[in-house]
Amino acid sequence: MTITAPPPSAGTVTRRRTRRWIDDWRPEDEQFWAETGQPVARRNLLWSIFAEHLGFSVWLIWSVSSAYLVAMGFAFSPQQLFLLVAIPNLVGSLLRIPYTFAVGLFGGRNWTIVSAALLLVPTLGFAAAVTNAGTPYWVFCVIAATAGFGGGNFASSMANINYFYPTAKKGAALGLNAAGGNLGVALIQLLLPVVVGGAGIFGLVKASEGGIHLERAALLYAGLAVAATVAAWLWMDNLGTAVAKPREQLRVVKEPHTWIMAVLYIGTFGSFIGYSAAMPLLIKLNFWVAEPAPLGTGIYFAYFAFLGAGVGSVARPVGGWLADRYGGARVTLAAFVGLAASTLAVLWTVFQLTPNPTADPAIATENESLFPLFLGFFLLVFACTGIGNGSTYKMIPAIWRRRAESTTAAGSPERTGALAAAGKQASAALGVIGAIGAIGGFLIPLAFSAPWVADPLSATKGAFMVFAAYYVLCTAVTYGVYLRRGRLAAHV
């Protein structure tokens, strides 16, 4: 399918030309948006979601597969397993900044093709590693690091979609784009145990009797990565108006709001991705007996690992919608209040647990009675992270837009130029903030496996106490900076 782009408007800079470049893009023009822009933006959003969804699945493939490695004969300690879970999050967070600029440098369509194809590296590497019983731990770490390519996809996808949509619709569009990606975490955690033969789905799908085959999941996602690459080639577009000037755009690191929002985003997205990565191992270490057990005789992690990521993903567009309606800062404040309260509730259940259930079925049975409360409160945590993810991403472009409006007159050429510059700065800020926020996904699994604490349960208690305190801090920052009367960015 070929798009015939409208003729460039006066003053538009002509860029390198192929059949998938669009130069005249004016989403804030209501007539242009209704007649031309909206269907094109929706099509690009659809295929962006597909590619980002796969990226998230590959990024978090280690979150659930690591829980099977010991059963496959790899003698790794809990600390080593948590590190395998954390490494992709670190690499993914570091890649977010260059991935953000790649959209302006190469085009959103072009970079989606490249980033989707790069997912073949971690998937095929994973398949090779798990089929060789002699694979050393350091090789697993290197392959896990390449899964960070999937984490970088989020930044380029969000920056790309941010260029396509008008300000009034960015919250919903970015929320849907992010939610579609976030659901990749839930889907890999739900389906990987079934695909590899390690578990059924609450008895609806029978577990395989032929052993565990982790390479099946890797090969499946390698095939899907090829499909995403082809889809981006055929049906996505590059915007000539999305120009990257990294040196100029990196000036956003000098802006206080960039760092303030990064602190908040660690609390929302960092929590989401960190908890999603750690949840399968948390359940296994604190509630699991030994082998897959029927419900009522022991908690099997694979039955529940996907629920948190699923709830957080569904809640994310809700957060974007609420932010469009009530303001991002108000919704973010409510999300952090909810995070603090629900985390304290989780902490209460953790203090009731007895250590080392895998060594004694009686302890596992005792802990099992607390599992419904643990799971319920933890799902509330995930819901609040999702709502906060959507609302913080709405705040970022709104902050830069409000600053542009506050320094220019309505309807003036200066405001038009200032708003265009604000959009580019907001896209750069999204990348920087997203990169810093994703570091939470690295720190949270490490906190649960603190090597200086001999008892994993004690490490878990300490981690949740620190997280609760951080959410209280974020609540105070959100109110003090964005909701107090007279603040520049109030009501964003």
Side-chain angles (χ1 to χ4, degrees), residues 61-74 76 81 126 188-200 212-214 280-281 284 288 291-292 300-303:
I61 195 171
W62 291 92
S63 69
V64 63
S65 62
S66 62
Y68 286 110
L69 291 178
V70 173
M72 291 186 68
F74 297 98
F76 299 150
L81 294 176
F126 180 94
I188 192 71
Q189 292 180 338
L190 171 66
L191 296 183
L192 184 142
V194 179
V195 172
V196 305
I212 299 172
H213 299 275
L214 287 174
L281 282 175
K284 180 178 179 180
W288 192 34
E291 296 298 330
Y300 185 46
F301 74 93
Y303 293 148

Side-chain angles (χ1 to χ4, degrees), residues 7-88:
S9 58
T12 299
V13 177
T14 302
R15 297 190 60 174
R16 51 203 181 280
R17 205 36 64 237
T18 71
R19 67 189 183 94
R20 304 304 303 199
W21 281 92
I22 301 176
D23 280 323
D24 186 34
W25 190 254
R26 295 169 279 116
E28 302 295 344
D29 182 326
E30 293 183 4
Q31 182 178 354
F32 174 87
W33 177 252
E35 295 177 357
T36 304
Q38 184 168 289
V40 174
R42 284 180 174 173
R43 174 165 45 75
N44 279 271
L45 175 61
L46 172 65
W47 294 111
S48 174
I49 289 174
F50 178 51
E52 187 191 343
H53 176 90
L54 296 180
F56 264 91
S57 292
V58 172
W59 193 21
L60 271 292
I61 195 171
W62 291 92
S63 69
V64 63
S65 62
S66 62
Y68 286 110
L69 291 178
V70 173
M72 291 186 68
F74 297 98
F76 299 150
S77 69
Q79 286 79 12
Q80 288 177 309
L81 294 176
F82 271 115
L83 182 59
L84 279 178
V85 165
I87 287 174

Side-chain angles (χ1 to χ4, degrees), residues 282-327:
L282 281 177
I283 295 175
K284 180 178 179 180
L285 292 174
N286 293 299
F287 298 97
W288 192 34
V289 182
E291 296 298 330
L295 294 178
T297 59
I299 301 300
Y300 185 46
F301 74 93
Y303 293 148
F304 304 97
F306 72 96
L307 289 175
V311 169
S313 302
V314 171
R316 180 153 192 165
V318 175
W321 177 81
L322 290 172
D324 285 338
R325 187 176 180 87
Y326 300 108

Side-chain angles (χ1 to χ4, degrees), residues 200-262:
I201 305 177
F202 296 105
L204 299 178
V205 178
K206 185 178 180 181
S208 170
E209 297 179 358
I212 299 172
H213 299 275
L214 287 174
E215 73 279 1
R216 294 176 182 172
L219 295 175
L220 170 63
Y221 274 90
L224 291 173
V226 173
T229 303
V230 173
W233 177 276
L234 293 175
W235 296 304
M236 290 187 73
D237 304 291
N238 301 306
L239 291 182
T241 54
V243 180
K245 297 180 179 179
R247 181 174 298 178
E248 178 180 323
Q249 289 177 284
L250 278 176
R251 292 175 185 171
V252 297
V253 300
K254 299 179 181 179
E255 293 284 347
H257 287 295
T258 300
W259 295 100
I260 294 169
M261 290 304 301

Side-chain angles (χ1 to χ4, degrees), residues 15-16 18 20-21 98-114 160 237-239 242-244 246:
R15 297 190 60 174
R16 51 203 181 280
T18 71
R20 304 304 303 199
W21 281 92
Y99 269 55
T100 297
F101 296 134
V103 172
L105 292 172
F106 306 108
R109 165 187 175 265
N110 294 347
W111 187 250
T112 303
I113 293 169
V114 172
N160 187 39
D237 304 291
N238 301 306
L239 291 182
V243 180

Side-chain angles (χ1 to χ4, degrees), residues 136-428:
Y137 180 71
W138 71 266
V139 172
F140 273 101
C141 290
V142 171
I143 296 171
T146 66
F149 289 147
N153 285 8
F154 175 84
S156 56
S157 179
M158 295 295 276
N160 187 39
I161 295 304
N162 185 57
Y163 285 117
F164 273 96
Y165 278 82
T167 301
K169 299 182 181 295
K170 285 184 190 293
L174 292 174
L176 285 171
N177 191 56
N182 292 171
L183 279 171
V185 181
L187 198 65
I188 192 71
Q189 292 180 338
L190 171 66
L191 296 183
L192 184 142
V194 179
V195 172
V196 305
I201 305 177
F202 296 105
L204 299 178
V205 178
K206 185 178 180 181
S208 170
E209 297 179 358
I212 299 172
H213 299 275
L214 287 174
E215 73 279 1
R216 294 176 182 172
L219 295 175
L220 170 63
Y221 274 90
L224 291 173
V226 173
T229 303
V230 173
W233 177 276
L234 293 175
W235 296 304
M236 290 187 73
D237 304 291
N238 301 306
L239 291 182
T241 54
V243 180
K245 297 180 179 179
R247 181 174 298 178
E248 178 180 323
Q249 289 177 284
L250 278 176
R251 292 175 185 171
V252 297
V253 300
K254 299 179 181 179
E255 293 284 347
H257 287 295
T258 300
W259 295 100
I260 294 169
M261 290 304 301
V263 168
L264 301 184
Y265 202 57
I266 289 174
T268 56
F269 181 76
S271 295
F272 169 79
I273 204 68
Y275 290 146
S276 296
M279 191 173 183
L281 282 175
L282 281 177
I283 295 175
K284 180 178 179 180
L285 292 174
N286 293 299
F287 298 97
W288 192 34
V289 182
E291 296 298 330
L295 294 178
T297 59
I299 301 300
Y300 185 46
F301 74 93
Y303 293 148
F304 304 97
F306 72 96
L307 289 175
V311 169
S313 302
V314 171
R316 180 153 192 165
V318 175
W321 177 81
L322 290 172
D324 285 338
R325 187 176 180 87
Y326 300 108
R330 293 188 181 95
V331 177
T332 299
L333 180 69
F336 278 122
V337 170
L339 273 169
S342 53
T343 301
L344 289 173
V346 171
L347 181 61
W348 176 82
T349 63
V350 171
F351 267 98
Q352 314 305 312
L353 298 176
T354 303
N356 202 19
T358 58
D360 186 347
I363 294 177
T365 301
E366 180 181 340
N367 285 358
E368 182 184 353
S369 64
L370 292 165
F371 183 73
L373 286 175
F374 172 85
L375 181 63
F377 291 140
F378 214 164
L379 294 183
L380 286 176
V381 171
F382 273 102
C384 291
T385 66
I387 291 172
N389 284 340
S391 62
T392 51
Y393 249 71
K394 166 63 176 178
M395 289 175 67
I396 295 165
I399 289 169
W400 265 260
R401 181 180 178 84
R402 181 169 290 276
R403 291 183 61 182
E405 291 174 341
S406 69
T407 57
T408 56
S412 67
E414 291 78 11
R415 172 163 291 189
T416 301
L419 291 176
K424 294 175 182 178
Q425 290 171 353
S427 289

